[in-house]
Amino acid sequence: MTPPNMTAHAVGTFTVDLRPEAEFDRLFSRLSFTKRFQGDLEGASSGGMFGARTDTPGSAGYVAMERISGRLNGRDGTFALQHSGTLTRGRAESSVTVVPDSGTGDLTGLYGSMTIDQSDGSHRYSFDYGFKPETE
């Protein structure tokens, strides 16, 4: 079933700490990370990422999963995000979505998508989200 339209919006900033875990060859690597969120989403996350570089400057790709624990506009709980991103000669595209049914506590039923902006060197998020009715 397709969730109803997004009904809420959250914005803010976050910091990220990336730690290399393994480099499989000169192109592929695995990293772990932690984040601290400020703004409408207050909390912390941890996760893992696989990345691929290419020989072409500014071209790469990544996939990642992270679990966030915190408060979203007054609701406490946890949820998971799934990331997929590409960089094509410096042009970035990404998809960051809530893993279905990953919300706990007051965030049970959470769905949505997040955009991340790093254009000025800082990290900002914009999160459109809603909640599925408990009867589904």
Side-chain angles (χ1 to χ4, degrees), residues 56-74:
T56 302
S59 292
Y62 82 96
V63 294
M65 300 294 286
E66 77 179 293
R67 184 163 186 88
I68 298 173
S69 177
R71 176 172 284 214
L72 175 61
N73 282 327

Side-chain angles (χ1 to χ4, degrees), residues 42-131:
E42 294 279 340
S45 75
S46 62
M49 175 186 337
F50 282 95
R53 294 181 294 266
T54 72
D55 290 330
T56 302
S59 292
Y62 82 96
V63 294
M65 300 294 286
E66 77 179 293
R67 184 163 186 88
I68 298 173
S69 177
R71 176 172 284 214
L72 175 61
N73 282 327
R75 293 174 170 241
D76 294 318
T78 65
F79 63 98
L81 289 177
Q82 178 176 324
H83 300 246
S84 176
T86 57
L87 188 63
T88 307
R89 296 185 174 112
R91 188 176 56 81
E93 291 184 37
S94 67
S95 169
V96 182
T97 57
V98 174
V99 173
D101 300 314
S102 66
T104 68
D106 296 336
L107 301 178
T108 299
L110 179 71
Y111 64 91
S113 62
M114 182 180 284
T115 58
I116 297 171
D117 180 7
Q118 302 176 68
S119 60
D120 66 359
S122 65
H123 293 87
R124 291 180 308 284
Y125 67 86
S126 179
F127 187 27
D128 291 315
Y129 67 93
F131 292 91

Side-chain angles (χ1 to χ4, degrees), residues 21 33 88:
E21 297 287 330
F33 61 87
T88 307

Side-chain angles (χ1 to χ4, degrees), residues 24-38:
F24 302 107
D25 59 32
R26 67 181 186 79
L27 299 179
F28 295 99
S29 59
R30 184 178 72 221
L31 302 100
S32 62
F33 61 87
T34 56
K35 293 179 183 175
R36 299 292 284 161
F37 291 88
Q38 300 85 35

